[in-house]
């Protein structure tokens, strides 16, 4: 038709353009597709690599900090596992427990459980702290928050419960090996992580590696919620918003000190119950809790608070200071 002919006619004053050959058209389309695909891959990769870097920094920092504090962990486990009428009954009080271990077993005993403790931190803390921000972002969007860091306290504490529970459930065998090694009385030979876990596997089967995992998961959920959630809430919702503090060491120090106090108090009952379950052959955490409550009283659930705080307080402060420093240095942003 005349209209179609005019449409195919080149513009006045411009030379007619030859149609592209098939091979040239194919190259043009495939080149454009590679560009789009590369751009979309980078758009997907950046958050993933950032999250992985944050998780690695968190696990590394917590593992490094946990090594020198292992001595307090040994005293805490011995003290929490003390039962009337048994050889463990003499482990009462932080200083008497430490002196008794020093006199009877030597200074090297304080390194018991250090290897599984560091392996646990590398896996468990990478998941619970590295996964905290993605969970917080998802919950913030559902709650209608304009900023993840300024989300409500409920969102932040709920995010800690989710990420902490998942991390503890996956890393529970290392926790079992740590408590088993640290609770062993004098005369029991030391064993490596693999030997401990293989022994549990032979005696109790695969399910034995997850004996007491419900208590460990509940404790870790409360710990991450009270530790990371409190740190995040105090830092952004109180110190930055109401006191105008800027990003820096002072801000991190104040927020982490309050987080350490909240963490120790909130997790103490779960910590005692976890030690009792993992250091024995008990399979029912509820039964152990009722037995302790009836025979030893409610105060037993806060036994070992001082060594627990002596470990969790410095651990929380040092971990967050190191995490924030490494995150700022690597350019992945502050927590």
């Amino acid at each position: 038709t005349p209209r179609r002919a005019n449409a195919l006619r080149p513009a006045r004053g411009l030379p007619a353009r030859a149609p592209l050959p098939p091979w040239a058209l194919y190259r043009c389309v495939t080149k454009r597709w590679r560009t789009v695909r590369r751009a979309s891959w980078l758009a997907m990769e950046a958050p993933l690599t950032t999250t992985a870097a944050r998780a690695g920094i968190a696990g590394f920092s917590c593992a490094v900090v946990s090594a020198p504090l292992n001595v307090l962990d040994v005293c805490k486990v011995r003290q929490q596992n003390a039962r009337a009428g048994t050889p463990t009954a003499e482990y009462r009080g932080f200083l008497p427990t430490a002196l008794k271990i020093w006199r009877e077993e030597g200074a090297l005993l304080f390194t018991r459980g250090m290897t599984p403790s560091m392996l646990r931190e590398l896996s468990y803390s990478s998941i619970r702290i590295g996964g905290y921000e993605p969970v917080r972002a998802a919950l913030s969007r559902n709650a209608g928050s304009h900023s993840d860091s300024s989300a409500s306290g409920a969102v932040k504490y709920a995010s800690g419960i989710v990420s902490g529970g998942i991390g503890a459930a996956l890393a529970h065998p290392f926790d079992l090996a740590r408590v088993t090694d640290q609770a062993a009385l004098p005369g029991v030979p030391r064993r490596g992580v693999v030997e401990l876990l293989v022994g549990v596997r032979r005696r109790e089967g695969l399910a034995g590696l997850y004996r007491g995992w419900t208590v460990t998961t509940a404790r870790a959920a409360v710990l991450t919620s009270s530790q990371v959630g409190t740190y995040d809430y105090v830092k952004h919702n109180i110190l930055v918003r109401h006191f105008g503090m800027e990003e820096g060491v002072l801000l991190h120090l104040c927020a982490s000190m309050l987080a350490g106090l909240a963490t120790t108090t909130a997790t103490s009952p779960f910590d005692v119950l976890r030690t009792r379950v993992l250091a024995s052959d008990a399979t029912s955490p509820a039964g152990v809790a009722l037995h302790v409550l009836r025979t030893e009283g409610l105060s037993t659930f806060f036994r070992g608070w001082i060594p627990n705080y002596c470990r969790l307080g410095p651990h929380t402060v040092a971990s967050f200071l190191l995490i924030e420093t490494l995150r700022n240095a690597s350019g992945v942003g502050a927590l």
Side-chain angles (χ1 to χ4, degrees):
T1 62
R3 181 176 298 178
R4 182 178 179 85
N6 291 333
L8 296 175
R9 189 177 300 160
R12 184 172 298 177
L14 295 176
R17 185 174 182 179
L20 289 174
W23 61 268
L25 183 62
Y26 172 78
R27 287 184 57 185
C28 181
V29 171
T30 53
K31 183 178 179 180
R32 178 61 180 168
W33 168 246
R34 292 194 190 98
T35 304
V36 172
R37 187 174 61 178
R38 189 179 298 113
S40 62
W41 166 251
L42 290 175
M44 294 172 58
E45 185 184 35
L48 182 62
T49 54
T50 300
T51 301
R54 291 171 175 174
I57 288 172
F60 170 78
S61 301
C62 292
V64 169
V65 172
S66 69
L69 297 175
N70 190 73
V71 54
L72 300 172
D73 222 10
V74 175
C75 295
K76 179 198 70 174
V77 169
R78 293 290 182 89
Q79 191 175 343
Q80 290 176 343
N81 200 40
R83 307 176 192 181
T86 65
T88 62
E90 299 180 5
Y91 295 104
R92 301 279 182 162
F94 173 57
L95 288 179
T97 298
L99 291 175
K100 179 178 174 59
I101 295 174
W102 177 277
R103 288 194 302 264
E104 296 182 356
E105 303 174 60
L108 289 177
L109 189 277
F110 290 114
T111 62
R112 267 192 182 270
M114 181 180 292
T115 301
S117 178
M118 295 185 69
L119 291 174
R120 172 180 173 270
E121 291 290 353
L122 284 172
S123 54
Y124 158 67
S125 292
S126 296
I127 298 172
R128 73 182 183 93
I129 300 179
Y132 169 80
E133 288 169 286
V135 175
R136 184 189 64 183
L139 295 181
S140 297
R141 287 193 296 268
N142 292 332
S145 300
H146 298 290
S147 173
D148 295 342
S149 59
S150 62
S152 65
V155 168
K156 294 181 177 182
Y157 287 117
S159 303
I161 290 175
V162 174
S163 63
I166 294 174
L170 296 177
H172 178 74
F174 292 124
D175 205 21
L176 177 65
R178 178 188 67 84
V179 174
T180 302
D181 194 18
Q182 292 176 344
L185 295 177
V188 178
R190 299 188 62 172
R191 293 177 292 173
V193 181
V194 176
E195 187 179 357
L196 282 168
L197 296 179
V198 170
V200 174
R201 171 70 174 81
R202 288 174 179 172
R203 293 192 307 270
E204 307 176 38
L206 186 61
L209 296 175
Y210 286 88
R211 171 166 44 87
W213 75 273
T214 53
V215 179
T216 302
T217 302
R219 174 192 176 273
V222 173
L223 184 145
T224 306
S225 178
S226 58
Q227 186 185 58
V228 185
T230 299
Y231 177 83
D232 191 9
Y233 183 80
V234 170
K235 176 183 176 182
H236 293 286
N237 297 55
I238 297 179
L239 298 180
V240 173
R241 180 182 300 178
H242 297 290
F243 293 91
M245 295 184 67
E246 298 181 354
E247 191 72 30
V249 176
L250 182 60
L251 175 63
H252 304 156
L253 183 63
C254 294
S256 58
M257 289 178 66
L258 292 174
L261 184 62
T263 303
T264 306
T265 305
T267 60
S268 187
F270 295 93
D271 211 22
V272 173
L273 185 59
R274 180 192 64 165
T275 300
R276 293 292 183 93
V277 172
L278 298 186
S280 65
D281 296 329
T283 57
S284 174
V288 174
L290 290 175
H291 177 74
V292 171
L293 187 61
R294 290 171 182 170
T295 59
E296 303 179 55
L298 184 62
S299 61
T300 304
F301 288 106
F302 291 91
R303 183 181 295 169
W305 190 94
I306 293 178
N308 200 16
Y309 178 74
C310 289
R311 179 190 180 277
L312 273 179
H315 186 280
T316 300
V317 173
S319 294
F320 279 121
L321 289 177
L322 185 57
I323 288 171
E324 295 281 22
T325 300
L326 293 178
R327 285 179 58 147
N328 289 329
S330 58
V332 295
L335 181 62

